[in-house]
């Protein structure tokens, strides 16, 4: 099928497919079973040039597009979900935010680390601030030429293995006046006061640690504040906009897992015989295959379109509307496709000896992380209507002031 990919893009896709088949696929079941972050895969990805592909050449990268990253992510996800998530995080997400709004020092730091294979962690969610992220209570207090960060985050992907952290916190100046929500870079082991205090017990994606992070008087130089031109007051919205690429990446992982599961189902349907004929000869299954393929193609097209798009004029990020719609559609259809693919295998699909049950557990996450399918629908509706849609009972009533750090 010609999806308008250039020769260069097709060559990259082929290279990713070969890597996925030869390096990622043989390790996928083991990574899930051992629940260990796959450092061997990280090293191989970095050596093959799949980490930091989107970093501009001036910073040592290849300056590849989000579409090119998407092509690689899809191929990896067919074979191993954890591998594909490493490709997402070393090319999109926190990296995009730093490349868009960071100062030179920050850009060089992020580029160096991702090119080495580091998967930056983005730290937003707190126990009492999930979908309502702006209810966060982690705070960053200005003290001379530094910020001192205190608070707790949970469900942070890469907790304990990531070096670079982009931490979101409420910002206070030296007079303890609140300025808004800002992002701060910290490097594990270099900036003291950043600890993983718990590992989450997850349903799937088990080789990628999710954890609670505690910041206790974590001191970072003031130059580590990632400041969009709008400053701290509107900064959170801008920083999150840059994070949009992550939604395209996450949707692509889900779509890739679904594509992999569908490939397994097609092969099995042609070889498994019941009632003296291959089960592919039953129309009940043929129509399931056709529906799965149709949904998959629609997801792929939406994701490619979102990856190729640019947001508001001059924006370096995918269009937020297209990114949100692609993530909603791809994540929800992927869950259905993988579930149906598992059905093709009967009892065997339910066995841990085949990859289908792992894929079903892995893919379930993508309607939750990176903005739930419900919250993304609110974003889409808000843009359609041209209205702000505050979700609190009191509209935009100010939140109660935070307790002072000195109290
Ligand atoms: C595997 C995984 C990895 C993650 N990685 C990260 C990470 O790296 N960094 C990070 O900061 N966070 C991360 N998260 C956290 C994730 O972003 C949050 O789980 C998500 O934002 C939802 O927050 P919550 O879990 O507190 O659910 P809640 O906000 O409590 O929501 C509960 C339910 O209510 C619905 N809901 C809430 N508000 C509304 C509304 N206004 N309208 C309609 N429905 C609503 C939600 O859709 C959901 O179904 C990760 C989560 C998972 C599962």
């Amino acid at each position: 099928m010609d999806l308008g990919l250039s020769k260069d893009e097709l060559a990259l896709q082929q290279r990713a497919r070969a890597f996925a088949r030869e390096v990622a696929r043989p390790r996928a079941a083991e990574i899930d079973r051992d629940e260990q972050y796959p450092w061997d895969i990280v090293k191989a990805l970095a050596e093959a040039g799949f980490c930091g592909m989107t970093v501009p050449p001036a910073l040592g990268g290849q300056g590849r597009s989000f579409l090119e990253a998407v092509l690689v992510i899809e191929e990896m996800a067919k074979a191993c979900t954890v591998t594909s998530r490493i490709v997402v995080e070393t090319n999109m997400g926190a990296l995009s935010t730093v490349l868009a709004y960071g100062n030179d020092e920050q850009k060089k730091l992020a580029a160096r680390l991702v090119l080495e294979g580091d998967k930056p962690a983005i730290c937003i969610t707190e126990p009492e601030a999930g979908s309502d992220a702006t209810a966060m209570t982690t705070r960053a207090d200005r003290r001379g030429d530094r910020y001192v960060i205190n608070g707790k985050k949970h469900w942070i992907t890469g907790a304990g293995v990531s070096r670079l952290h982009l931490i979101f916190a409420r910002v206070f100046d030296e007079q303890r006046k609140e300025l808004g929500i800002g992002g701060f870079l910290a490097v594990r082991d270099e900036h003291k006061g950043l600890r993983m205090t718990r590992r989450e017990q997850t349903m799937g994606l088990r080789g990628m640690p999710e954890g609670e992070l505690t910041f206790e008087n974590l001191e970072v130089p003031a130059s580590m504040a990632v400041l969009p031109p709008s400053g701290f007051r509107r900064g959170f919205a801008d920083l999150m906009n840059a994070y949009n690429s992550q939604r395209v990446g996450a949707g692509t992982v889900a779509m890739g897992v679904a594509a992999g599961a569908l490939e397994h189902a097609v092969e099995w349907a042609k070889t498994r015989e019941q009632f003296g004929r291959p089960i592919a000869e039953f129309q009940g299954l043929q129509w399931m295959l056709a529906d799965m393929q149709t949904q998959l193609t629609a997801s792929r097209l939406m994701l490619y379109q979102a990856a190729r798009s640019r947001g508001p004029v001059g924006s370096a990020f995918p269009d937020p509307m297209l990114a949100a719609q692609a993530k909603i559609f791809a994540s929800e259809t992927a869950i259905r496709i993988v579930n149906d693919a598992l059905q093709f295998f009967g009892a065997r699909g339910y066995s841990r000896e085949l990859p289908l049950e792992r894929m079903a557990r892995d893919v379930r996450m993508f309607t939750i992380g990176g903005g739930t399918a419900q919250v993304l629908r609110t974003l889409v509706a808000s843009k359609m209507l041209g209205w702000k849609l505050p979700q609190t009972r009191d509209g935009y009533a100010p939140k109660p002031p935070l307790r002072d750090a000195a109290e």
Side-chain angles (χ1 to χ4, degrees):
M1 189 176 15
D2 181 3
L3 293 175
L5 300 178
S6 69
K7 257 171 97 175
D8 223 42
E9 288 162 347
L10 288 169
L12 178 69
Q13 190 182 45
Q14 285 300 335
R15 210 155 62 72
R17 195 167 293 161
F19 182 101
R21 195 179 49 237
E22 288 154 25
V23 183
R25 190 183 301 279
R27 284 278 284 121
E30 205 173 25
I31 292 170
D32 178 60
R33 204 171 42 243
D34 296 350
E35 303 192 21
Q36 296 293 323
Y37 190 61
W39 291 108
D40 55 327
I41 299 271
V42 172
K43 186 165 175 281
L45 283 170
E47 282 170 4
F50 292 126
C51 297
M53 289 177 290
T54 56
V55 170
L59 291 167
Q62 302 163 46
R64 289 201 180 267
S65 65
F66 286 134
L67 178 65
E68 288 172 311
V70 156
L71 297 175
V72 175
I73 293 161
E74 177 183 348
E75 293 308 319
M76 301 299 174
K78 288 181 192 169
C80 172
T81 327
V82 170
T83 301
S84 69
R85 284 190 83 204
I86 296 169
V87 178
V88 174
E89 311 272 349
T90 55
N91 288 287
M92 296 171 153
L95 174 71
S96 304
T97 310
V98 177
L99 290 179
Y101 294 125
N103 56 35
D104 284 351
E105 179 191 0
Q106 294 168 2
K107 287 182 191 170
K108 280 187 194 146
L109 172 69
R112 175 173 61 78
L113 289 174
V114 297
L115 286 163
E116 286 169 12
D118 182 48
K119 171 232 137 335
I122 186 145
C123 311
I124 304 172
T125 308
E126 299 181 1
E128 303 309 324
S131 299
D132 186 9
T134 58
M136 67 177 64
T137 57
T138 295
R139 57 184 292 154
D141 287 89
R142 181 79 187 233
R143 304 256 170 82
D145 61 354
R146 316 185 78 71
Y147 282 98
V148 181
I149 303 175
N150 282 285
K152 197 172 269 210
K153 303 281 179 184
H154 76 169
W155 283 95
I156 304 307
T157 305
V161 299
S162 297
R163 294 203 61 213
L164 189 65
H165 291 68
L166 174 58
I167 302 164
F168 284 79
R170 308 189 90 83
V171 189
F172 293 82
D173 67 13
E174 300 220 58
Q175 286 69 47
R176 303 205 177 99
K177 184 170 160 257
E178 188 173 346
L179 304 178
I181 292 177
F184 298 86
L185 292 185
V187 180
R188 183 169 55 85
D189 298 337
E190 269 177 41
H191 299 117
K192 305 283 175 240
L194 187 166
R195 277 189 309 129
M196 180 168 101
T197 36
R198 183 186 129 88
R199 181 165 172 173
E200 312 292 351
Q201 302 298 304
T202 60
M203 173 180 176
L205 299 164
R206 292 185 181 169
M208 175 64 85
E210 304 290 341
E212 178 187 82
L213 292 177
T214 302
F215 314 121
E216 269 168 6
N217 293 324
L218 165 64
E219 283 194 29
V220 296
S223 62
M224 286 290 114
V226 185
L227 204 57
S230 56
F232 286 127
R233 183 56 59 196
R234 258 196 49 78
F236 186 59
D238 288 341
L239 294 171
M240 289 308 288
N241 212 11
Y243 188 59
N244 244 318
S245 59
Q246 181 83 358
R247 297 197 170 136
V248 179
T252 305
V253 179
M255 183 269 283
V257 177
L262 184 52
E263 282 176 10
H264 286 300
V266 170
E267 277 315 302
W268 178 248
K270 288 196 279 194
T271 48
R272 169 69 174 166
E273 292 196 4
Q274 285 294 280
F275 301 98
R277 49 208 292 225
I279 59 172
E281 289 188 13
F282 300 122
Q283 195 177 49
L285 296 189
Q286 291 165 2
W287 286 15
M288 280 173 78
L289 284 179
D291 284 346
M292 291 152 86
Q293 183 63 55
T294 305
Q295 290 167 6
L296 184 69
T297 304
S299 293
R300 187 178 282 126
L301 291 175
M302 288 179 80
L303 288 160
Y304 284 14
Q305 185 198 26
R308 282 183 167 125
S309 71
R310 287 280 175 264
V313 183
S315 165
F317 329 115
D319 180 80
M321 268 288 255
L322 293 177
Q325 291 170 68
K327 168 135 188 305
I328 295 168
F329 189 81
S331 59
E332 291 184 344
T333 55
I335 292 170
R336 280 202 298 276
I337 293 169
V338 176
N339 192 41
D340 284 352
L342 188 151
Q343 186 72 15
F344 272 64
F345 288 82
R348 290 173 178 80
Y350 199 65
S351 161
R352 274 182 280 161
E353 283 174 20
L354 292 189
L356 276 303
E357 65 83 33
R358 183 185 77 239
M359 291 168 134
R361 284 186 284 107
D362 285 354
V363 83
R364 187 61 191 84
M365 187 283 268
F366 293 93
T367 58
I368 303 171
T372 68
Q374 290 71 40
V375 166
L376 292 182
R377 279 182 168 85
T378 304
L379 185 150
V380 172
S382 162
K383 296 221 181 268
M384 288 168 71
L385 296 165
W387 292 349
K388 291 191 170 176
L389 297 175
Q391 301 293 303
T392 57
R393 281 196 187 140
D394 309 322
Y396 283 115
K399 297 196 194 297
L402 279 182
R403 222 159 49 83
D404 197 294
E407 279 172 27

